[in-house]
Amino acid sequence: MSEDLSKHTTLRVGGPANNFIKAANEAEIIAAIEAAGDNPILILGSGSNVLISDTGFPGTVIQIANNKVAAEVDACSGATLNIGAGENWDDLVATSIERGWAGLETLSGIPGTVGAAPIQNIGAYGHEISEFVMRVRTYDRQTKALKTFTNQECEFAYRDSVFKKNPGRYVVLEVQFNLRRGELTDPITYAELATELGIEVGQKADVIKTREAVLRIRDRKGMLLNPSDPDTFSAGSFFTNPIVSENLIPEGAPKYPQGDGTFKTSAAWLIENSGISRGQKFNGAAISGKHVLAITNPGNAKAADIAALAMQVKDAVKLKFGIDLVPEVNLVGLTLG
Ligand code: NAP
C-alpha cells in the first residue's frame, strides 16, 4: 500500500512510501521485515522523532502498532510489565501511575512509543528509562532471529544504547520494565521541577503531583503535542545536549559534570546565545516560539525547510562556540549540510 508519510510524523512532513505496512502484532512485524529481504526498511513508531525527506522513503515502511500490555504484580518487588513496542509511551506512564507504581513520573509527556524509548534511552528531570528496563526483546535483522537483551547488554548511556549504535539492525518488539509500588518519588534533583512542585531540591514529592508538574512544564515549553497549537508541531528537541570538555563550555552556560572529566551543557542555552531567536523562520519552518530546541512546521513547511533551519542553528552554534550540535531527531533521506 502506498502512503503519504507526512500523515505519520509529528512534523507533518515526509514524501511517499510505496510500501507501507501497519503491523499490529509481533508476527506481523517479523513477516513484514522478512518479506522486505535486503531492501531498506524504515521502522516508524508514532513519527515523533523523525524528519523524513520530501522525496519519501524508497523501501518498506513498517509502522509498529503492537500495543499489548501485560503486568505481573508482586507485593514485595513491585510490578513487572511486558509492553508491546507500539504502545504510546505516555499512556504507559499514566497507566503505571494510576495503578500505584512509581518511577516513570518524571518521564511524563515524552512523545513516542515504548519501542522507541530504549533506543535513545529517553530521560527527563533526573531519570532515564535505563533505570527501569529489565529486558528488551528484538528481532535481529542481521542474524534473522529473535534476540533479547538484558539491561546491561543494552549498553545504555546518555540518549544512547546498543540499538542506536547499530542503526537498522535491531527492531524492538517488546520492553520489560520493573517498577516499585509507591506514592512518593525519589528526591527531586532538578530545580525547575522542584520549584514547580513548591518543594526544595532533594525533597521527595507525590508521584501524581510530579506527573502533573512535569506536564505543565512541558506544556509551557511547547513540548507537549497539542493538535490545536501549530507551535507544538515539532519532533521535540531537535538536538541533544552536548557533552564536551570543560574548556569548551562558554562563560555563563550551564554545566553538569558527568563523572568522567566531561561536562554536559544546555543545547538551548548555546542556541539562544548564538543569535538564534524563538519564532525565527526559514521558508515554512520556524523555531518554536516557546523553546529554541524545537523546530516546528506551523503549516506549510517542507522537510527541506526544516533541515535548512536546523543547519542554520547548527552553524550559528559552531561559529560562536565551536561546539557541534548533534541531531536527536532521526534524519531519513536527508542530511544537515
Ligand atoms: P533543561 O531542563 O533546560 O536542561 C538543559 C540541560 O541541563 C540538560 O542537558 C539537562 O540534563 C541539564 N540539567 C538541568 N538540570 C540538571 C541537574 N539538576 N542535574 C544534571 N543535569 C541537569 O532541558 P529541556 O530541553 O527543557 O528538557 C527538559 C528535560 O527533558 C531534560 O531533562 C531533557 O533531557 C529532557 N528531554 C528528553 C528528551 C528525550 O529523552 N528524548 C527530549 C527532550 C527533552 P538532562 O538532559 O540529563 O536532563
Short mmCIF file of all heavy atoms in Angstrom, two decimals, residues 237-288:
data_model
loop_
_atom_site.label_atom_id
_atom_site.label_comp_id
_atom_site.label_asym_id
_atom_site.label_seq_id
_atom_site.Cartn_x
_atom_site.Cartn_y
_atom_site.Cartn_z
N SER A 237 12.88 18.04 21.05
CA SER A 237 14.22 18.64 20.97
C SER A 237 14.89 18.18 19.69
O SER A 237 15.01 16.98 19.46
CB SER A 237 15.07 18.18 22.15
OG SER A 237 14.48 18.58 23.34
N PHE A 238 15.34 19.14 18.88
CA PHE A 238 15.95 18.74 17.61
C PHE A 238 17.37 18.25 17.81
O PHE A 238 17.85 17.39 17.08
CB PHE A 238 15.93 19.91 16.61
CG PHE A 238 16.05 19.45 15.19
CD1 PHE A 238 14.92 19.21 14.42
CD2 PHE A 238 17.30 19.18 14.62
CE1 PHE A 238 15.02 18.74 13.11
CE2 PHE A 238 17.41 18.71 13.33
CZ PHE A 238 16.27 18.48 12.57
N PHE A 239 18.07 18.82 18.85
CA PHE A 239 19.47 18.46 19.11
C PHE A 239 19.60 17.91 20.53
O PHE A 239 18.84 18.29 21.42
CB PHE A 239 20.38 19.69 18.96
CG PHE A 239 20.36 20.28 17.57
CD1 PHE A 239 19.59 21.40 17.27
CD2 PHE A 239 21.12 19.72 16.56
CE1 PHE A 239 19.58 21.95 15.99
CE2 PHE A 239 21.11 20.26 15.27
CZ PHE A 239 20.34 21.36 14.98
N THR A 240 20.60 17.05 20.73
CA THR A 240 20.88 16.58 22.10
C THR A 240 21.70 17.65 22.84
O THR A 240 22.32 18.51 22.22
CB THR A 240 21.69 15.27 22.11
OG1 THR A 240 22.89 15.47 21.38
CG2 THR A 240 20.91 14.12 21.49
N ASN A 241 21.70 17.55 24.16
CA ASN A 241 22.52 18.45 24.97
C ASN A 241 23.97 17.96 24.89
O ASN A 241 24.24 16.81 25.24
CB ASN A 241 22.01 18.47 26.41
CG ASN A 241 20.65 19.14 26.49
OD1 ASN A 241 20.49 20.29 26.09
ND2 ASN A 241 19.66 18.42 26.97
N PRO A 242 24.91 18.82 24.42
CA PRO A 242 26.27 18.33 24.19
C PRO A 242 27.02 17.96 25.47
O PRO A 242 26.86 18.63 26.49
CB PRO A 242 26.96 19.52 23.51
CG PRO A 242 25.93 20.52 23.22
CD PRO A 242 24.72 20.22 24.03
N ILE A 243 27.82 16.91 25.36
CA ILE A 243 28.74 16.54 26.44
C ILE A 243 30.15 16.80 25.90
O ILE A 243 30.55 16.20 24.90
CB ILE A 243 28.54 15.07 26.86
CG1 ILE A 243 27.14 14.92 27.44
CG2 ILE A 243 29.60 14.63 27.87
CD1 ILE A 243 26.73 13.52 27.81
N VAL A 244 30.85 17.74 26.54
CA VAL A 244 32.12 18.22 25.98
C VAL A 244 33.14 18.42 27.10
O VAL A 244 32.80 18.32 28.28
CB VAL A 244 31.92 19.57 25.22
CG1 VAL A 244 31.08 19.38 23.98
CG2 VAL A 244 31.31 20.63 26.12
N SER A 245 34.38 18.74 26.72
CA SER A 245 35.38 19.04 27.75
C SER A 245 35.09 20.44 28.32
O SER A 245 34.50 21.30 27.64
CB SER A 245 36.79 18.94 27.18
OG SER A 245 36.91 19.83 26.10
N GLU A 246 35.52 20.65 29.57
CA GLU A 246 35.14 21.86 30.30
C GLU A 246 35.58 23.14 29.58
O GLU A 246 34.86 24.14 29.57
CB GLU A 246 35.74 21.82 31.71
CG GLU A 246 35.18 22.91 32.61
CD GLU A 246 35.63 22.77 34.06
OE1 GLU A 246 36.52 21.95 34.34
OE2 GLU A 246 35.07 23.50 34.89
N ASN A 247 36.75 23.08 28.91
CA ASN A 247 37.26 24.30 28.28
C ASN A 247 36.38 24.78 27.13
O ASN A 247 36.46 25.93 26.72
CB ASN A 247 38.71 24.08 27.80
CG ASN A 247 38.78 23.02 26.71
OD1 ASN A 247 38.12 21.99 26.80
ND2 ASN A 247 39.56 23.27 25.69
N LEU A 248 35.50 23.91 26.61
CA LEU A 248 34.63 24.32 25.50
C LEU A 248 33.36 25.02 25.99
O LEU A 248 32.64 25.64 25.22
CB LEU A 248 34.23 23.11 24.67
CG LEU A 248 35.21 22.64 23.59
CD1 LEU A 248 34.62 21.47 22.83
CD2 LEU A 248 35.54 23.78 22.62
N ILE A 249 33.07 24.88 27.30
CA ILE A 249 31.79 25.43 27.79
C ILE A 249 31.92 26.94 28.01
O ILE A 249 32.79 27.40 28.76
CB ILE A 249 31.33 24.71 29.07
CG1 ILE A 249 31.15 23.22 28.73
CG2 ILE A 249 30.06 25.33 29.62
CD1 ILE A 249 30.47 22.40 29.76
N PRO A 250 31.09 27.73 27.31
CA PRO A 250 31.22 29.18 27.43
C PRO A 250 30.87 29.69 28.82
O PRO A 250 30.10 29.05 29.55
CB PRO A 250 30.19 29.72 26.41
CG PRO A 250 29.64 28.56 25.70
CD PRO A 250 30.01 27.30 26.42
N GLU A 251 31.44 30.83 29.15
CA GLU A 251 31.16 31.53 30.41
C GLU A 251 29.64 31.71 30.54
O GLU A 251 29.00 32.17 29.60
CB GLU A 251 31.86 32.90 30.32
CG GLU A 251 31.82 33.77 31.55
CD GLU A 251 32.75 33.25 32.63
OE1 GLU A 251 33.82 32.71 32.30
OE2 GLU A 251 32.36 33.39 33.82
N GLY A 252 29.08 31.32 31.67
CA GLY A 252 27.67 31.57 31.91
C GLY A 252 26.75 30.44 31.48
O GLY A 252 25.58 30.39 31.86
N ALA A 253 27.28 29.49 30.69
CA ALA A 253 26.42 28.37 30.24
C ALA A 253 26.29 27.35 31.38
O ALA A 253 27.24 27.15 32.14
CB ALA A 253 27.03 27.71 29.01
N PRO A 254 25.14 26.68 31.47
CA PRO A 254 25.01 25.63 32.49
C PRO A 254 26.03 24.53 32.25
O PRO A 254 26.34 24.24 31.09
CB PRO A 254 23.59 25.09 32.27
CG PRO A 254 22.91 26.04 31.36
CD PRO A 254 23.95 26.80 30.63
N LYS A 255 26.57 23.96 33.32
CA LYS A 255 27.45 22.82 33.11
C LYS A 255 27.28 21.80 34.23
O LYS A 255 27.24 22.17 35.40
CB LYS A 255 28.91 23.23 32.93
CG LYS A 255 29.55 23.97 34.06
CD LYS A 255 31.03 24.21 33.72
CE LYS A 255 31.71 24.96 34.84
NZ LYS A 255 33.10 25.26 34.56
N TYR A 256 27.14 20.55 33.82
CA TYR A 256 26.87 19.47 34.77
C TYR A 256 27.93 18.39 34.58
O TYR A 256 28.03 17.80 33.49
CB TYR A 256 25.47 18.89 34.51
CG TYR A 256 24.39 19.93 34.64
CD1 TYR A 256 23.91 20.61 33.52
CD2 TYR A 256 23.88 20.28 35.89
CE1 TYR A 256 22.93 21.59 33.63
CE2 TYR A 256 22.90 21.26 36.01
CZ TYR A 256 22.44 21.91 34.89
OH TYR A 256 21.49 22.88 35.00
N PRO A 257 28.74 18.12 35.64
CA PRO A 257 29.82 17.14 35.50
C PRO A 257 29.26 15.74 35.24
O PRO A 257 28.25 15.35 35.83
CB PRO A 257 30.54 17.19 36.85
CG PRO A 257 29.62 17.90 37.78
CD PRO A 257 28.66 18.71 36.99
N GLN A 258 29.92 15.00 34.37
CA GLN A 258 29.46 13.65 34.02
C GLN A 258 30.23 12.56 34.77
O GLN A 258 30.00 11.37 34.54
CB GLN A 258 29.61 13.43 32.50
CG GLN A 258 28.75 14.38 31.68
CD GLN A 258 27.28 14.25 32.04
OE1 GLN A 258 26.63 13.28 31.71
NE2 GLN A 258 26.75 15.24 32.75
N GLY A 259 31.19 12.97 35.59
CA GLY A 259 31.92 12.00 36.39
C GLY A 259 33.13 11.40 35.67
O GLY A 259 33.86 10.61 36.24
N ASP A 260 33.33 11.77 34.41
CA ASP A 260 34.49 11.23 33.68
C ASP A 260 35.35 12.36 33.12
O ASP A 260 36.09 12.18 32.16
CB ASP A 260 34.00 10.33 32.53
CG ASP A 260 33.13 11.11 31.54
OD1 ASP A 260 32.86 12.31 31.77
OD2 ASP A 260 32.73 10.52 30.52
N GLY A 261 35.22 13.54 33.73
CA GLY A 261 36.02 14.69 33.26
C GLY A 261 35.29 15.53 32.22
O GLY A 261 35.71 16.64 31.93
N THR A 262 34.20 14.99 31.65
CA THR A 262 33.44 15.78 30.68
C THR A 262 32.25 16.46 31.38
O THR A 262 31.89 16.11 32.50
CB THR A 262 32.89 14.91 29.52
OG1 THR A 262 32.02 13.92 30.09
CG2 THR A 262 34.02 14.23 28.75
N PHE A 263 31.66 17.42 30.65
CA PHE A 263 30.53 18.18 31.21
C PHE A 263 29.40 18.24 30.18
O PHE A 263 29.66 18.37 28.99
CB PHE A 263 30.98 19.61 31.55
CG PHE A 263 31.86 19.67 32.77
CD1 PHE A 263 33.19 19.30 32.69
CD2 PHE A 263 31.34 20.06 34.00
CE1 PHE A 263 34.01 19.33 33.82
CE2 PHE A 263 32.14 20.10 35.13
CZ PHE A 263 33.49 19.73 35.04
N LYS A 264 28.19 18.16 30.70
CA LYS A 264 27.02 18.33 29.83
C LYS A 264 26.59 19.79 29.91
O LYS A 264 26.57 20.37 30.99
CB LYS A 264 25.90 17.43 30.31
CG LYS A 264 24.70 17.42 29.40
CD LYS A 264 23.74 16.34 29.78
CE LYS A 264 23.38 16.47 31.24
NZ LYS A 264 22.57 15.42 31.77
N THR A 265 26.29 20.37 28.76
CA THR A 265 25.77 21.73 28.79
C THR A 265 24.41 21.77 28.09
O THR A 265 23.92 20.74 27.61
CB THR A 265 26.77 22.74 28.17
OG1 THR A 265 26.27 24.07 28.41
CG2 THR A 265 26.97 22.53 26.69
N SER A 266 23.80 22.94 28.05
CA SER A 266 22.44 23.05 27.53
C SER A 266 22.47 23.49 26.06
O SER A 266 22.96 24.57 25.74
CB SER A 266 21.68 24.08 28.38
OG SER A 266 20.58 24.59 27.66
N ALA A 267 21.93 22.65 25.20
CA ALA A 267 21.85 23.00 23.77
C ALA A 267 21.00 24.27 23.61
O ALA A 267 21.34 25.14 22.80
CB ALA A 267 21.24 21.85 22.98
N ALA A 268 19.94 24.38 24.38
CA ALA A 268 19.06 25.56 24.27
C ALA A 268 19.83 26.84 24.61
O ALA A 268 19.69 27.86 23.93
CB ALA A 268 17.85 25.40 25.19
N TRP A 269 20.67 26.80 25.66
CA TRP A 269 21.46 27.98 26.04
C TRP A 269 22.38 28.37 24.89
O TRP A 269 22.49 29.54 24.52
CB TRP A 269 22.26 27.69 27.31
CG TRP A 269 22.94 28.90 27.90
CD1 TRP A 269 22.49 29.68 28.92
CD2 TRP A 269 24.19 29.49 27.47
NE1 TRP A 269 23.37 30.71 29.16
CE2 TRP A 269 24.42 30.63 28.28
CE3 TRP A 269 25.12 29.18 26.48
CZ2 TRP A 269 25.55 31.44 28.14
CZ3 TRP A 269 26.25 29.99 26.33
CH2 TRP A 269 26.46 31.11 27.16
N LEU A 270 23.08 27.37 24.32
CA LEU A 270 24.03 27.65 23.23
C LEU A 270 23.29 28.28 22.05
O LEU A 270 23.77 29.24 21.44
CB LEU A 270 24.71 26.36 22.77
CG LEU A 270 25.61 25.64 23.80
CD1 LEU A 270 26.06 24.29 23.25
CD2 LEU A 270 26.81 26.51 24.17
N ILE A 271 22.12 27.74 21.73
CA ILE A 271 21.38 28.24 20.56
C ILE A 271 20.94 29.69 20.81
O ILE A 271 21.17 30.58 19.99
CB ILE A 271 20.17 27.32 20.26
CG1 ILE A 271 20.65 25.92 19.84
CG2 ILE A 271 19.29 27.92 19.16
CD1 ILE A 271 19.57 24.85 19.79
N GLU A 272 20.33 29.92 21.98
CA GLU A 272 19.83 31.28 22.26
C GLU A 272 20.97 32.29 22.29
O GLU A 272 20.81 33.43 21.86
CB GLU A 272 19.05 31.30 23.57
CG GLU A 272 17.61 30.95 23.30
CD GLU A 272 16.69 30.99 24.51
OE1 GLU A 272 17.12 30.62 25.60
OE2 GLU A 272 15.52 31.38 24.31
N ASN A 273 22.14 31.86 22.78
CA ASN A 273 23.27 32.79 22.90
C ASN A 273 24.12 32.85 21.63
O ASN A 273 25.14 33.53 21.61
CB ASN A 273 24.12 32.42 24.12
CG ASN A 273 23.40 32.82 25.40
OD1 ASN A 273 23.46 33.97 25.83
ND2 ASN A 273 22.66 31.88 25.98
N SER A 274 23.68 32.15 20.59
CA SER A 274 24.41 32.26 19.32
C SER A 274 23.64 33.13 18.34
O SER A 274 23.97 33.20 17.16
CB SER A 274 24.65 30.87 18.72
OG SER A 274 23.42 30.33 18.30
N GLY A 275 22.58 33.77 18.84
CA GLY A 275 21.86 34.73 18.00
C GLY A 275 20.60 34.18 17.35
O GLY A 275 19.93 34.88 16.60
N ILE A 276 20.26 32.94 17.64
CA ILE A 276 19.01 32.37 17.09
C ILE A 276 17.89 32.71 18.07
O ILE A 276 18.06 32.55 19.29
CB ILE A 276 19.12 30.83 16.96
CG1 ILE A 276 20.29 30.44 16.05
CG2 ILE A 276 17.80 30.20 16.55
CD1 ILE A 276 20.05 30.54 14.58
N SER A 277 16.75 33.15 17.54
CA SER A 277 15.68 33.50 18.48
C SER A 277 14.41 32.67 18.27
O SER A 277 14.18 32.12 17.20
CB SER A 277 15.36 35.00 18.40
OG SER A 277 15.46 35.44 17.09
N ARG A 278 13.64 32.64 19.33
CA ARG A 278 12.34 31.95 19.27
C ARG A 278 11.50 32.57 18.16
O ARG A 278 11.49 33.78 17.99
CB ARG A 278 11.60 32.08 20.59
CG ARG A 278 12.32 31.38 21.71
CD ARG A 278 11.60 31.53 23.02
NE ARG A 278 12.45 31.01 24.08
CZ ARG A 278 12.07 30.84 25.34
NH1 ARG A 278 10.85 31.14 25.70
NH2 ARG A 278 12.91 30.36 26.21
N GLY A 279 10.80 31.73 17.43
CA GLY A 279 9.92 32.24 16.38
C GLY A 279 10.63 32.49 15.06
O GLY A 279 9.98 32.76 14.05
N GLN A 280 11.98 32.43 15.04
CA GLN A 280 12.74 32.70 13.81
C GLN A 280 12.29 31.73 12.71
O GLN A 280 12.10 30.55 12.96
CB GLN A 280 14.24 32.52 14.11
CG GLN A 280 15.14 32.92 12.97
CD GLN A 280 16.61 32.97 13.43
OE1 GLN A 280 16.90 33.41 14.55
NE2 GLN A 280 17.50 32.50 12.59
N LYS A 281 12.17 32.26 11.45
CA LYS A 281 11.59 31.43 10.38
C LYS A 281 12.58 31.20 9.24
O LYS A 281 13.46 32.01 9.01
CB LYS A 281 10.36 32.13 9.81
CG LYS A 281 9.20 32.20 10.77
CD LYS A 281 7.93 32.65 10.03
CE LYS A 281 6.69 32.51 10.90
NZ LYS A 281 6.70 33.28 12.13
N PHE A 282 12.40 30.10 8.54
CA PHE A 282 13.05 29.91 7.25
C PHE A 282 12.03 29.22 6.34
O PHE A 282 11.60 28.10 6.62
CB PHE A 282 14.32 29.06 7.35
CG PHE A 282 14.94 28.84 6.00
CD1 PHE A 282 15.66 29.87 5.39
CD2 PHE A 282 14.76 27.65 5.31
CE1 PHE A 282 16.19 29.70 4.11
CE2 PHE A 282 15.29 27.48 4.04
CZ PHE A 282 16.01 28.50 3.44
N ASN A 283 11.64 29.91 5.26
CA ASN A 283 10.53 29.42 4.42
C ASN A 283 9.38 29.00 5.32
O ASN A 283 8.96 29.78 6.17
CB ASN A 283 11.00 28.30 3.50
CG ASN A 283 11.97 28.82 2.43
OD1 ASN A 283 12.01 30.02 2.18
ND2 ASN A 283 12.72 27.93 1.82
N GLY A 284 8.91 27.75 5.21
CA GLY A 284 7.76 27.35 6.03
C GLY A 284 8.10 26.91 7.43
O GLY A 284 7.22 26.68 8.26
N ALA A 285 9.40 26.76 7.74
CA ALA A 285 9.79 26.22 9.06
C ALA A 285 10.03 27.35 10.05
O ALA A 285 10.36 28.47 9.65
CB ALA A 285 11.06 25.39 8.91
N ALA A 286 9.85 27.05 11.34
CA ALA A 286 10.05 28.09 12.37
C ALA A 286 10.61 27.46 13.64
O ALA A 286 10.27 26.33 13.99
CB ALA A 286 8.72 28.77 12.68
N ILE A 287 11.49 28.23 14.30
CA ILE A 287 11.89 27.85 15.66
C ILE A 287 10.65 28.06 16.54
O ILE A 287 9.94 29.06 16.38
CB ILE A 287 13.04 28.77 16.18
CG1 ILE A 287 14.25 28.76 15.22
CG2 ILE A 287 13.41 28.44 17.60
CD1 ILE A 287 15.10 27.53 15.25
N SER A 288 10.40 27.13 17.44
CA SER A 288 9.22 27.27 18.30
C SER A 288 9.25 28.60 19.04
O SER A 288 10.32 29.07 19.45
CB SER A 288 9.19 26.11 19.31
OG SER A 288 8.33 26.43 20.37
#
